């Protein structure tokens, strides 16, 4: 897909390096950095969520939109209350199956967002008692389901599918999480390695989002055209599905999710009889985890 507003700048001395997610859902967050008063205040580059996290963790970026599971695992510092969240159906995190849910033994996953992969595992375990083996695959639904019992699509790849006409059983994982816990789901936040590394950047992020939210009509028009989506889909996505501000309910949802993910890892280690160091090496070796 064509990302009209997505550009990669070379590094500039004195400017913070920011890695933003390339999916549609971040457009209001970064609009000011690309088109508003905050333009040229930072070097902005784009990647999928897991790659954003890697760049922040390894010091290639000062700040990034990172999956909350990576924020937790690497002890990253949140910056501002801006986030990517939902309070029910999110539309862009979809789980499909060709088998009964409780018989799923293999899950093909778009590894772009590790938070969503863990969310799929939590929902499958808690709701259906399934604990599938996860395999990272490109986000092609037909190919994924040819090799696995279920498939997880994330971001623009999920938005490009009309699940109601797919002929498959499917779940919107934002809605599934709400039904499981009664809480919102937080997928990603702005975060950096330390308060010192991100000092003074909160105002920049808030200014960019304020400009973007005030420019929502322009964003909808631009993003629909560049990504090949209808304006109705993009407008509905921003106005009904995605939540950009973390309030008390979102914080409670985030804490519940992280506790569940930590429990999932602990249960997996206990079941396999492996040590923490082994689990960490395994996690690093498998991109989808």
């Amino acid at each position: 897909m064509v990302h009209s507003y997505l550009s990669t700048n070379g590094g500039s001395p004195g400017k913070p390096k920011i890695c933003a997610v390339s999916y549609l859902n971040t457009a209001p967050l970064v609009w000011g950095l690309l088109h508003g008063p905050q333009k040229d205040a930072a070097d902005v580059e784009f990647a999928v969520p897991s790659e954003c996290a890697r760049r922040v963790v390894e010091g290639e970026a000062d700040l990034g939109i990172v999956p909350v599971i990576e924020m937790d695992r690497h002890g990253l510092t949140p910056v501002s209350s801006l986030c990517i969240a939902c309070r029910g159906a999110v539309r862009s995190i979809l789980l499909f199956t060709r088998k009964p849910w409780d018989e799923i033994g293999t899950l093909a996953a778009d590894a772009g967002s590790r938070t969503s992969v863990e969310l799929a595992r939590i929902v499958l375990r808690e709701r259906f008692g399934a604990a599938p083996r996860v395999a990272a695959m490109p986000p092609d639904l037909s190919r994924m389901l040819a090799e696995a019992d279920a498939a997880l699509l994330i971001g623009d790849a999920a938005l490009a599918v009309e699940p109601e006409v797919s002929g498959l059983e499917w779940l919107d994982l934002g809605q599934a999480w709400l039904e499981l816990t009664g809480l919102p789901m937080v997928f990603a936040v702005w975060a950096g390695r330390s308060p010192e590394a991100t000092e003074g950047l909160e105002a920049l992020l808030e200014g960019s989002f304020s400009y973007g939210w005030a420019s929502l009509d322009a964003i909808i028009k631009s993003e629909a055209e560049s990504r090949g989506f209808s304006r109705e889909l993009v407008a509905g996505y921003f106005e009904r599905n995605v939540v950009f501000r973390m309030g008390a309910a979102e914080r409670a949802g985030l804490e519940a999710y992280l506790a569940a993910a930590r429990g999932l890892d602990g249960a997996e280690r206990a079941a396999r009889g492996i040590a923490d160091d082994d689990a960490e090496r395994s996690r690093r070796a498998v991109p989808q985890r």
Side-chain angles (χ1 to χ4, degrees):
M1 291 184 182
V2 178
H3 297 172
S4 62
Y5 74 94
L6 303 183
S7 59
T8 301
N9 301 323
S12 302
K15 288 186 179 181
K17 296 179 181 178
I18 294 178
C19 186
V21 170
S22 54
Y23 298 155
L24 173 64
N25 56 20
T26 65
L29 294 175
V30 301
W31 199 255
L33 289 167
L34 298 172
H35 304 288
Q38 299 76 29
K39 185 178 180 181
D40 297 327
D43 288 328
V44 183
E45 57 185 8
F46 292 85
V48 296
S50 56
E51 175 62 12
C52 275
R54 186 198 66 76
R55 294 183 190 182
V56 172
V57 169
E58 297 185 5
E60 295 177 16
D62 300 305
L63 177 73
I65 299 176
V66 301
V68 294
I69 193 73
E70 297 303 316
M71 175 196 72
D72 185 59
R73 286 173 173 168
H74 296 285
L76 300 178
T77 301
V79 181
S80 88
S81 63
L82 295 168
C83 65
I84 302 292
C86 67
R87 296 170 181 167
V90 67
R91 182 58 180 86
S92 57
I93 312 289
L94 300 179
L95 181 63
F96 296 87
T97 183
R98 61 181 177 83
K99 280 190 171 183
W101 294 101
D102 60 352
E103 295 180 13
I104 294 173
T106 53
L107 170 63
D110 174 355
S113 171
R114 294 166 184 168
T115 293
S116 300
V117 174
E118 296 290 44
L119 176 59
R121 296 177 68 213
I122 292 167
V123 169
L124 287 172
R125 185 185 70 170
E126 297 297 328
R127 187 162 168 178
F128 304 107
R133 178 180 62 82
V134 181
M137 290 186 65
D140 181 316
L141 184 59
S142 295
R143 291 185 60 188
M144 295 166 96
L145 289 178
E147 299 187 26
D149 300 330
L152 176 65
L153 292 181
I154 296 166
D156 290 12
L159 289 169
V161 173
E162 295 185 34
E164 295 87 354
V165 299
S166 67
L168 296 164
E169 291 289 321
W170 62 279
L171 288 175
D172 182 306
L173 289 188
Q175 182 65 30
W177 174 256
L178 179 68
E179 293 171 359
L180 191 64
T181 65
L183 294 167
M185 177 66 202
V186 180
F187 295 96
V189 297
W190 285 113
R193 292 184 303 285
S194 67
E196 292 76 18
T198 57
E199 185 177 1
L201 295 182
E202 180 174 354
L204 183 67
L205 302 179
E206 291 285 355
S208 177
F209 176 68
S210 294
Y211 182 83
W213 198 245
S215 307
L216 197 56
D217 287 346
I219 293 175
I220 292 168
K221 180 177 183 297
S222 174
E223 294 306 297
E225 291 175 354
S226 64
R227 295 174 189 263
F229 297 143
S230 70
R231 291 194 187 187
E232 291 75 18
L233 174 67
V234 176
Y237 185 56
F238 287 137
E239 294 169 358
R240 293 190 296 273
N241 297 120
V242 183
V243 173
F244 292 101
R245 186 70 70 182
M246 191 181 305
E250 282 72 29
R251 294 185 191 285
L254 175 58
E255 291 175 5
Y257 167 79
L258 293 177
R262 293 169 191 146
L264 196 65
D265 281 352
E268 185 177 80
R269 284 197 297 274
R272 295 181 178 179
I274 57 179
D276 286 353
D277 288 348
D278 292 334
E280 181 60 22
R281 281 194 291 272
S282 174
R283 180 182 301 126
R284 289 175 178 174
V286 182
Q288 77 276 9
R289 294 295 315 283

